[in-house]
Amino acid sequence: MKRLVLDLAAIFMFVGAIFHVACLFGGADWLLFAGAPVEFSEAYRAGAVEPIFWTLGIAAMLTVWGLYAMSGAGRIRRLPLLKTGLGVIGVLMTVRGLGGIIMLFVSDWPWHLPIGQFHAVASVMIFGVGLFYLYGLWKEFRPS
């Protein structure tokens, strides 16, 4: 089971990385849909390079996080600080997802718009992936 949840976590991370890169090809409207601030997407529309670096940086981070999931699942060699990496990634993803879920209920969430629906689904998925990392960490390193 540990292997399965970490495999799924890796897949989600790699898909997220690809999605971020695809947003650069999709343009400013894709960046807005993905949750980028208006100023960020307008800077991209105007030809600024900073949004490209930030977006590629997020894609690179998600790729590394996917590699940590693969390492935890035993699919690739053991990466440095695997236990710490799985724990930090799990906590960050869980907190981010939970924060998004809470915002669905305490804010004026735009449920009627595709962007609101996208962020609702994304928050639930991010929360779940965070739990996958934490479950994988627990199964791998729990005291016997």
Coordinates of all heavy atoms in Angstrom, one line a residue, residues 74-132:
G74 N 10.5 3.2 -3.5 CA 11.5 2.3 -3.9 C 11.7 2.1 -5.4 O 12.3 1.1 -5.9
R75 N 11.2 3.1 -6.2 CA 11.2 3.0 -7.6 C 12.6 3.5 -8.2 O 13.0 3.1 -9.3 CB 10.1 3.8 -8.3 CG 8.7 3.4 -7.9 CD 8.3 2.1 -8.5 NE 7.0 1.8 -8.1 CZ 6.5 0.6 -8.3 NH1 7.2 -0.4 -8.8 NH2 5.2 0.3 -7.9
I76 N 13.2 4.4 -7.4 CA 14.5 4.9 -7.8 C 15.4 4.8 -6.6 O 14.9 4.5 -5.5 CB 14.5 6.4 -8.4 CG1 13.9 7.3 -7.3 CG2 13.6 6.4 -9.7 CD1 14.0 8.8 -7.8
R77 N 16.7 5.1 -6.7 CA 17.6 5.0 -5.6 C 17.1 6.0 -4.5 O 16.4 6.9 -4.7 CB 19.0 5.3 -6.0 CG 19.3 6.8 -6.3 CD 20.8 7.0 -6.5 NE 21.0 8.4 -6.8 CZ 21.2 9.3 -5.8 NH1 21.1 9.0 -4.6 NH2 21.4 10.6 -6.1
R78 N 17.6 5.7 -3.3 CA 17.2 6.5 -2.1 C 17.8 7.9 -2.2 O 19.1 8.0 -2.4 CB 17.7 5.8 -0.8 CG 17.3 6.4 0.4 CD 17.8 5.6 1.6 NE 17.5 6.3 2.8 CZ 16.3 6.1 3.5 NH1 15.4 5.3 3.1 NH2 16.1 6.8 4.6
L79 N 17.0 8.9 -2.2 CA 17.5 10.3 -2.3 C 17.9 10.8 -0.9 O 17.5 10.3 0.1 CB 16.4 11.2 -2.8 CG 16.0 10.9 -4.3 CD1 14.8 11.8 -4.7 CD2 17.1 11.1 -5.2
P80 N 18.8 11.8 -0.9 CA 19.3 12.3 0.4 C 18.1 12.9 1.2 O 17.2 13.5 0.6 CB 20.2 13.5 0.0 CG 20.5 13.2 -1.5 CD 19.4 12.4 -2.0
L81 N 18.2 12.7 2.5 CA 17.2 13.3 3.4 C 15.8 12.8 3.0 O 14.8 13.6 3.1 CB 17.3 14.8 3.5 CG 18.6 15.4 3.9 CD1 18.6 16.9 3.7 CD2 18.8 15.0 5.4
L82 N 15.6 11.6 2.7 CA 14.3 11.0 2.2 C 13.2 11.2 3.3 O 12.2 11.7 3.0 CB 14.4 9.6 1.8 CG 13.2 8.9 1.3 CD1 12.6 9.6 0.1 CD2 13.4 7.4 1.0
K83 N 13.6 10.8 4.5 CA 12.6 10.9 5.6 C 12.1 12.4 5.8 O 10.9 12.7 5.8 CB 13.2 10.4 6.9 CG 12.2 10.3 8.0 CD 12.9 9.7 9.2 CE 12.0 9.6 10.4 NZ 12.7 9.0 11.6
T84 N 13.1 13.3 5.8 CA 12.8 14.7 6.0 C 12.0 15.2 4.8 O 11.0 16.0 5.0 CB 14.1 15.5 6.2 OG1 14.8 15.0 7.3 CG2 13.8 17.0 6.3
G85 N 12.4 14.9 3.6 CA 11.8 15.3 2.4 C 10.3 14.9 2.3 O 9.4 15.7 2.1
L86 N 10.1 13.6 2.6 CA 8.7 13.1 2.6 C 7.8 13.8 3.6 O 6.7 14.2 3.4 CB 8.6 11.6 2.8 CG 9.2 10.7 1.7 CD1 9.2 9.3 2.2 CD2 8.5 10.9 0.4
G87 N 8.4 14.1 4.8 CA 7.7 14.7 5.9 C 7.4 16.2 5.5 O 6.2 16.6 5.7
V88 N 8.4 16.9 5.1 CA 8.2 18.3 4.7 C 7.2 18.5 3.6 O 6.3 19.3 3.6 CB 9.5 19.0 4.4 CG1 9.3 20.4 3.8 CG2 10.4 19.1 5.7
I89 N 7.4 17.7 2.5 CA 6.4 17.7 1.4 C 5.0 17.4 1.8 O 4.0 18.1 1.5 CB 6.9 16.8 0.3 CG1 8.2 17.3 -0.3 CG2 5.8 16.7 -0.8 CD1 9.0 16.3 -1.2
G90 N 4.9 16.3 2.7 CA 3.6 15.9 3.1 C 2.9 17.0 3.9 O 1.7 17.3 3.8
V91 N 3.6 17.6 4.8 CA 3.1 18.7 5.7 C 2.7 19.9 4.8 O 1.6 20.5 4.9 CB 4.0 19.1 6.8 CG1 3.6 20.4 7.5 CG2 4.1 18.0 7.8
L92 N 3.6 20.3 3.9 CA 3.3 21.5 3.1 C 2.0 21.2 2.2 O 1.2 22.1 2.1 CB 4.5 21.8 2.2 CG 5.7 22.4 2.9 CD1 6.9 22.6 1.9 CD2 5.3 23.8 3.5
M93 N 2.0 20.1 1.6 CA 0.8 19.8 0.7 C -0.5 19.7 1.5 O -1.5 20.2 1.1 CB 1.1 18.5 -0.1 CG 2.2 18.5 -1.0 SD 1.9 19.6 -2.5 CE 0.7 18.6 -3.3
T94 N -0.4 19.0 2.7 CA -1.6 18.9 3.5 C -2.1 20.2 4.0 O -3.3 20.5 3.9 CB -1.3 17.9 4.7 OG1 -0.8 16.7 4.2 CG2 -2.6 17.7 5.5
V95 N -1.2 21.1 4.5 CA -1.6 22.4 5.0 C -2.1 23.2 3.8 O -3.2 23.9 4.0 CB -0.4 23.1 5.7 CG1 -0.7 24.5 5.9 CG2 -0.1 22.3 7.0
R96 N -1.5 23.2 2.7 CA -1.9 24.0 1.5 C -3.3 23.5 1.1 O -4.3 24.3 0.9 CB -0.9 23.9 0.4 CG -1.3 24.3 -1.0 CD -2.3 25.3 -1.2 NE -2.7 25.5 -2.6 CZ -3.9 25.2 -3.1 NH1 -4.8 24.7 -2.3 NH2 -4.2 25.5 -4.3
G97 N -3.5 22.2 1.0 CA -4.8 21.7 0.6 C -5.9 22.0 1.6 O -7.0 22.4 1.3
L98 N -5.6 21.8 2.9 CA -6.5 22.1 4.0 C -6.9 23.6 4.0 O -8.1 24.0 4.1 CB -6.0 21.7 5.3 CG -6.9 21.8 6.5 CD1 -8.2 20.9 6.3 CD2 -6.2 21.3 7.8
G99 N -5.9 24.5 3.8 CA -6.2 25.9 3.7 C -7.1 26.2 2.6 O -8.1 27.0 2.7
G100 N -6.9 25.6 1.4 CA -7.8 25.8 0.3 C -9.2 25.3 0.6 O -10.2 26.0 0.2
I101 N -9.3 24.2 1.2 CA -10.6 23.6 1.6 C -11.4 24.5 2.6 O -12.6 24.8 2.4 CB -10.5 22.2 2.1 CG1 -10.0 21.2 1.0 CG2 -11.8 21.7 2.8 CD1 -9.6 19.9 1.5
I102 N -10.7 25.0 3.6 CA -11.3 26.0 4.5 C -11.8 27.2 3.8 O -12.8 27.7 4.1 CB -10.3 26.3 5.7 CG1 -10.1 25.0 6.5 CG2 -10.8 27.5 6.5 CD1 -8.9 25.1 7.5
M103 N -10.9 27.7 2.9 CA -11.3 28.9 2.2 C -12.6 28.7 1.4 O -13.4 29.7 1.1 CB -10.2 29.4 1.2 CG -9.0 29.9 2.0 SD -9.4 31.3 3.1 CE -9.9 32.5 1.9
L104 N -12.9 27.5 0.9 CA -14.1 27.2 0.2 C -15.4 27.6 1.0 O -16.4 28.0 0.5 CB -14.2 25.7 -0.2 CG -13.1 25.2 -1.1 CD1 -13.3 23.7 -1.2 CD2 -13.2 25.9 -2.4
F105 N -15.2 27.4 2.4 CA -16.4 27.6 3.2 C -16.4 29.0 4.0 O -17.5 29.3 4.5 CB -16.4 26.5 4.3 CG -16.6 25.1 3.6 CD1 -15.5 24.3 3.4 CD2 -17.8 24.7 3.1 CE1 -15.6 23.0 2.8 CE2 -18.0 23.5 2.5 CZ -16.9 22.7 2.3
V106 N -15.3 29.6 4.1 CA -15.3 30.9 4.9 C -15.1 32.1 4.0 O -15.0 33.2 4.5 CB -14.2 30.8 6.0 CG1 -14.4 29.7 6.9 CG2 -12.8 30.8 5.3
S107 N -15.0 31.9 2.7 CA -14.9 33.1 1.8 C -16.0 33.1 0.8 O -16.8 32.2 0.7 CB -13.5 33.0 1.1 OG -13.5 32.0 0.2
D108 N -16.1 34.1 0.0 CA -17.1 34.3 -1.1 C -16.5 33.5 -2.3 O -16.1 34.1 -3.2 CB -17.3 35.7 -1.3 CG -18.4 35.9 -2.3 OD1 -19.3 35.0 -2.4 OD2 -18.5 37.0 -2.9
W109 N -16.5 32.2 -2.2 CA -15.9 31.4 -3.2 C -16.7 31.4 -4.5 O -18.0 31.3 -4.5 CB -15.8 29.9 -2.7 CG -14.8 29.1 -3.5 CD1 -15.1 28.2 -4.5 CD2 -13.4 29.2 -3.5 NE1 -14.0 27.7 -5.1 CE2 -12.9 28.3 -4.4 CE3 -12.5 29.9 -2.7 CZ2 -11.6 28.1 -4.6 CZ3 -11.2 29.7 -2.9 CH2 -10.7 28.8 -3.8
P110 N -16.1 31.6 -5.7 CA -16.9 31.7 -6.9 C -17.2 30.3 -7.5 O -16.7 29.9 -8.6 CB -15.9 32.5 -7.9 CG -14.5 32.1 -7.4 CD -14.7 31.9 -5.9
W111 N -18.1 29.6 -6.9 CA -18.5 28.3 -7.3 C -19.0 28.2 -8.7 O -18.9 27.2 -9.4 CB -19.6 27.7 -6.3 CG -19.1 27.4 -5.0 CD1 -19.3 28.2 -3.9 CD2 -18.3 26.3 -4.5 NE1 -18.7 27.6 -2.8 CE2 -18.1 26.5 -3.2 CE3 -17.8 25.2 -5.2 CZ2 -17.4 25.5 -2.4 CZ3 -17.1 24.3 -4.4 CH2 -16.9 24.5 -3.1
H112 N -19.7 29.3 -9.1 CA -20.3 29.3 -10.4 C -19.3 29.5 -11.6 O -19.7 29.3 -12.7 CB -21.4 30.4 -10.5 CG -20.8 31.8 -10.3 ND1 -20.3 32.2 -9.0 CD2 -20.6 32.8 -11.1 CE1 -19.9 33.5 -9.2 NE2 -20.0 33.8 -10.4
L113 N -18.1 29.8 -11.3 CA -17.1 30.0 -12.3 C -16.1 28.8 -12.4 O -15.8 28.1 -11.4 CB -16.2 31.2 -12.0 CG -17.0 32.6 -11.9 CD1 -16.0 33.7 -11.5 CD2 -17.6 32.9 -13.3
P114 N -15.7 28.5 -13.6 CA -14.7 27.4 -13.8 C -13.5 27.5 -12.9 O -13.0 26.5 -12.3 CB -14.3 27.4 -15.2 CG -15.5 28.1 -15.9 CD -16.0 29.1 -14.9
I115 N -13.0 28.7 -12.7 CA -11.8 28.9 -11.8 C -12.1 28.5 -10.4 O -11.3 27.9 -9.7 CB -11.2 30.3 -11.9 CG1 -9.9 30.4 -11.2 CG2 -12.2 31.3 -11.3 CD1 -9.2 31.7 -11.4
G116 N -13.3 28.8 -9.9 CA -13.7 28.4 -8.5 C -13.8 26.9 -8.4 O -13.4 26.3 -7.4
Q117 N -14.4 26.2 -9.4 CA -14.5 24.8 -9.4 C -13.1 24.1 -9.5 O -12.9 23.1 -8.8 CB -15.4 24.4 -10.5 CG -16.8 24.9 -10.3 CD -17.6 24.9 -11.6 OE1 -17.2 24.4 -12.6 NE2 -18.8 25.5 -11.5
F118 N -12.3 24.7 -10.3 CA -10.9 24.1 -10.5 C -10.2 24.2 -9.1 O -9.5 23.2 -8.7 CB -10.1 24.9 -11.5 CG -8.7 24.6 -11.6 CD1 -8.2 23.4 -12.3 CD2 -7.7 25.4 -11.0 CE1 -6.9 23.1 -12.3 CE2 -6.4 25.1 -11.0 CZ -6.0 23.9 -11.7
H119 N -10.2 25.3 -8.4 CA -9.5 25.5 -7.2 C -10.1 24.6 -6.1 O -9.4 24.2 -5.2 CB -9.4 26.9 -6.8 CG -8.4 27.6 -7.6 ND1 -7.0 27.4 -7.5 CD2 -8.5 28.5 -8.6 CE1 -6.4 28.2 -8.4 NE2 -7.3 28.8 -9.1
A120 N -11.4 24.4 -6.1 CA -12.0 23.5 -5.1 C -11.5 22.1 -5.3 O -11.0 21.4 -4.4 CB -13.5 23.5 -5.3
V121 N -11.5 21.6 -6.6 CA -11.0 20.2 -6.8 C -9.5 20.2 -6.6 O -9.0 19.2 -5.9 CB -11.3 19.9 -8.3 CG1 -10.6 18.6 -8.7 CG2 -12.8 19.7 -8.5
A122 N -8.8 21.2 -7.0 CA -7.3 21.2 -6.8 C -7.0 21.1 -5.3 O -6.1 20.4 -4.9 CB -6.7 22.4 -7.4
S123 N -7.7 21.9 -4.4 CA -7.4 21.9 -3.0 C -7.6 20.5 -2.4 O -6.8 20.1 -1.6 CB -8.3 22.9 -2.3 OG -7.8 24.2 -2.7
V124 N -8.7 19.9 -2.8 CA -9.0 18.5 -2.3 C -7.9 17.6 -2.7 O -7.4 16.7 -1.9 CB -10.4 18.0 -2.7 CG1 -10.6 16.6 -2.4 CG2 -11.5 18.9 -2.0
M125 N -7.5 17.6 -4.0 CA -6.5 16.8 -4.5 C -5.1 17.0 -3.8 O -4.4 16.1 -3.4 CB -6.3 16.9 -6.0 CG -7.5 16.3 -6.8 SD -7.4 16.7 -8.5 CE -5.8 16.4 -9.0
I126 N -4.8 18.3 -3.6 CA -3.5 18.6 -2.9 C -3.5 18.1 -1.5 O -2.5 17.5 -1.0 CB -3.3 20.1 -3.0 CG1 -3.0 20.6 -4.4 CG2 -2.1 20.6 -2.0 CD1 -3.0 22.1 -4.7
F127 N -4.6 18.3 -0.8 CA -4.8 17.7 0.6 C -4.5 16.2 0.5 O -3.8 15.7 1.4 CB -6.1 18.1 1.1 CG -6.4 17.5 2.5 CD1 -5.8 18.1 3.6 CD2 -7.2 16.4 2.7 CE1 -6.0 17.6 4.9 CE2 -7.4 15.9 4.0 CZ -6.8 16.5 5.0
G128 N -5.2 15.5 -0.4 CA -5.0 14.1 -0.5 C -3.6 13.6 -0.8 O -3.1 12.7 -0.2
V129 N -3.0 14.3 -1.7 CA -1.6 14.0 -2.0 C -0.7 14.2 -0.8 O 0.2 13.4 -0.6 CB -1.1 14.8 -3.3 CG1 0.4 14.6 -3.5 CG2 -1.9 14.3 -4.5
G130 N -0.9 15.3 -0.1 CA -0.2 15.5 1.2 C -0.3 14.3 2.1 O 0.7 13.9 2.7
L131 N -1.5 13.8 2.2 CA -1.8 12.6 3.1 C -1.0 11.4 2.5 O -0.5 10.6 3.3 CB -3.3 12.4 3.2 CG -4.1 13.4 4.0 CD1 -5.5 13.0 4.0 CD2 -3.5 13.6 5.4
F132 N -0.9 11.3 1.2 CA -0.2 10.2 0.6 C 1.3 10.2 1.1 O 1.8 9.2 1.4 CB -0.3 10.2 -0.9 CG -1.6 9.9 -1.5 CD1 -1.8 10.0 -2.9 CD2 -2.6 9.4 -0.8 CE1 -3.0 9.7 -3.5 CE2 -3.9 9.1 -1.4 CZ -4.0 9.2 -2.7

